[in-house]
Amino acid sequence: MLRSKLKPFFGLFLFAVTTAAVAQNGRFQQAVDYKMDVQMDVKTNRYTGIQKLVYTNNSPDTLDRVFYHLYYNAFQPGSMMDVRSRTIADPDKRVADRISKLAPDEIGYLHAKTLTMNGKPVNFKEVETILEVSLPEPILPNTSVTFDMEFEGQVPVQIRRSGRDSEEGVRYSMSQWYPKMANYDEQGWHSNPYIGREFYGIWGNYEVKITIDKSYVIGGTGYLQNPNEIGHGYQDEGVKVPAPKGNTLTWHFVAPQVHDFMWGADNKYQHDKVKMDNGITVHHFFIPGPKTSENWEKLKEYTPKAISYLSEHFGQYPYKQFSVVQGGDGGMEYAMSTLITGERSLASLVGVMVHELAHSWYHGVLASNESLYPWMDEGFTSYASSLTMANIFQESASPHRGSYGGYYRLVSSGLEEPMSTHSDHYHTNRAYSSAAYSKGAVFMAQLGYVIGEEARDRGILRYFNTWKFKHPNVNDLVRIMEKESGLELDWYKEYFVYTTKTIDYGIKEVKANGGNTEITLERIGLMPMPVDLVITYKDGSQESIYLPLVIMRGEKPQEKGQPTRIHTEAWPWTNLSKTLILTKPLETIKSVEIDPTKRMADVQQENNLVKF
């Protein structure tokens, strides 16, 4: 039944891939079509596979070599990931020096045994987590070639994201497990070695067959094509699943228009599924027990709610299933799925699920290059998940207070590096995570202060619908927000992304001037911003004065719920102070405050309020 419905679904995505490849003002999207057949030995934790990869070069360039990622090779003593994890100033305790102590049967590895292109042998060299491939003949623009590979791997003990036998007893968290073609875009090849940071992939279709011990349940990416042969909770209602003829089952998945494929497997998984009214099926896989069963049962209510909220406010979720799988070492996002640790309080369980689900929009569908722009995934995901959690739990407090607090702590630590820093090259884990998660979320929340929240929210939807399946960069995002607001925003990007300059405005003086009130503001920080100044009177009424930057070339509209704007006067960024004359006597004023909404990330807010 599902198989017949997938034919037009595949066609729709194929059309999207084809048209996207030649659009975007000279930008292009490479395309992949994977077919893999994998045999997993649960006794040795080793597997073998056959991979057929049809690779389409939609670029204007002739390619004489290609690169594959072999992520599991990072889990070996002496690897770049091992060395980096031990020598960084603030090691991740999940990794630290664990890789260096792995025994031969505990390490991970992934090796290509044979490889051909269009039937011709190729020369290849394994350089740790990258397979360098020299081609027997070049791949011309707008042509496709077929790579056939035999590969073998060993699943490492659970350390970071992937692995076996986690602390919670999950047998397999199979992410980053197959030879994966590196992406080639307008900036060239992205064959970064894996040291534990982020991922960047090519969209395409995956057809994956996994043969494993019949007692194991698999959940993850894709649509199961043989549910009534497999059972384990996948079968149609009322179907009696035949007993397997041997000791194994072969699971057959397809996943259209994704850039990765993850699966988790355990012989103790409970599989629950929920069918949403919009046709999306939500799968939950967890190991039942006193630390999981009660909260995972409740999770079945929250995952559909989160999908509905995110689809309404951030763009329609484009797939027909999502899998929440217990596994991994915390929470990690994948195509149509996530791996999360499961022995959590309800709030924590829902929180990690919501965050990883929200990645489906920014990691899964928009998929900016996370090595170059981690904040465009982690930060925007944090922004979206905070709003989703506030909606689910009906919280009234500011949903982004944690992100602002994280950014302020980063600034005060002295460790901040520009958000334009490559993910792998941050000096500390703290600088990376605070910039990517906290400052990235502040970028989007603060943008509502700069252009108005209605324009920002419209821009978020327009950004998704314009750039889905196209790998946008920061300029693409900013141009969308400029078009939606009518304001110039290059200054905002250049200061907040490419520098560590901070915002600090203050009220220098408020004094009587005849029957008027004279207010002098000053810019102390190095980053200029528009200023909302709110005057509260002793009778309880409020008014605001708006001071946009000249370089914005316009102003945001009066915002709903904000005090009535009585005056607008541009403030050139070159001027360090600004004096205003308010035609109200000083004795009628209760307070003068810069940005009472706290949306502007002013790092020194003590000087933002004067009371009388």
Side-chain angles (χ1 to χ4, degrees), residues 560-573:
K560 294 180 181 179
Q562 299 301 313
T564 300
R565 187 183 301 170
I566 59 170
H567 183 61
T568 297
E569 186 173 336
W571 185 347
W573 71 268

Side-chain angles (χ1 to χ4, degrees), residues 61-85:
D61 304 325
T62 297
L63 307 179
D64 57 9
R65 58 178 182 165
V66 300
F67 301 89
Y68 287 81
H69 294 284
L70 305 173
Y71 293 112
Y72 273 6
N73 292 343
F75 299 98
Q76 299 176 16
S79 70
M80 291 180 68
M81 185 174 179
D82 172 33
V83 173
R84 178 65 167 164
S85 298

Side-chain angles (χ1 to χ4, degrees), residues 228-249:
N228 294 333
E229 299 171 15
I230 293 296
H232 289 299
Y234 281 98
Q235 68 270 26
D236 296 328
E237 186 175 352
V239 170
K240 184 177 181 181
V241 179
K245 294 180 180 179
N247 294 322
T248 62
L249 281 174

Side-chain angles (χ1 to χ4, degrees), residues 353-562:
M353 176 277 293
V354 166
H355 181 86
E356 305 309 333
L357 169 64
H359 271 295
S360 296
W361 279 252
Y362 294 103
H363 164 82
V365 177
L366 289 165
S368 300
N369 186 337
E370 294 179 68
S371 293
L372 299 180
Y373 319 110
W375 59 276
M376 293 183 70
D377 172 41
E378 295 293 356
F380 296 172
T381 293
S382 296
Y383 173 84
S385 58
S386 293
L387 289 174
T388 306
M389 287 292 288
N391 175 266
I392 286 176
F393 289 104
Q394 297 298 300
E395 295 175 350
S396 57
S398 171
H400 307 299
R401 60 192 182 280
S403 295
Y404 278 85
Y407 168 60
Y408 294 144
R409 289 189 293 273
L410 173 64
V411 170
S412 63
S413 73
L415 298 174
E416 185 182 9
E417 300 175 55
M419 288 202 296
S420 56
T421 304
H422 189 287
S423 294
D424 292 339
H425 298 283
Y426 276 87
H427 184 61
T428 62
N429 281 317
R430 179 178 179 182
Y432 161 75
S433 60
S434 295
Y437 290 76
S438 297
K439 192 177 181 183
V442 171
F443 179 98
M444 189 62 82
Q446 185 174 242
L447 189 59
Y449 170 79
V450 175
I451 69 175
E453 296 197 351
E454 289 187 7
R456 189 267 323 279
D457 292 348
R458 292 194 309 269
I460 285 174
L461 285 169
R462 184 173 176 178
Y463 172 56
F464 180 85
N465 290 323
T466 301
W467 285 101
K468 57 188 176 183
F469 304 115
K470 296 178 184 176
H471 297 302
N473 59 43
V474 59
N475 295 318
D476 302 320
L477 168 72
V478 169
R479 287 296 294 129
I480 289 289
M481 293 299 178
E482 287 183 329
K483 292 173 183 177
E484 204 59 53
S485 66
L487 302 176
E488 290 192 21
L489 297 170
D490 53 345
W491 60 272
Y492 182 61
K493 170 196 68 179
E494 288 154 6
Y495 272 99
F496 210 64
V497 175
Y498 296 111
T499 80
T500 58
K501 295 177 180 179
T502 56
I503 303 163
D504 182 13
Y505 280 84
I507 301 172
K508 187 175 184 179
E509 186 177 35
V510 181
K511 65 180 182 180
N513 183 349
N516 301 323
T517 300
E518 183 177 296
I519 304 170
T520 300
L521 308 178
E522 60 181 342
R523 176 168 67 84
I524 303 164
L526 296 178
M527 178 173 173
M529 283 285 283
V531 172
D532 289 344
L533 186 70
V534 174
I535 299 94
T536 301
Y537 298 98
K538 291 179 179 178
D539 64 3
S541 63
Q542 288 186 319
E543 295 176 326
S544 71
I545 297 175
Y546 177 51
L547 302 167
L549 293 170
V550 172
I551 54 177
M552 292 168 59
R553 302 299 170 196
E555 60 186 75
K556 69 177 176 181
Q558 170 76 49
E559 293 186 89
K560 294 180 181 179
Q562 299 301 313

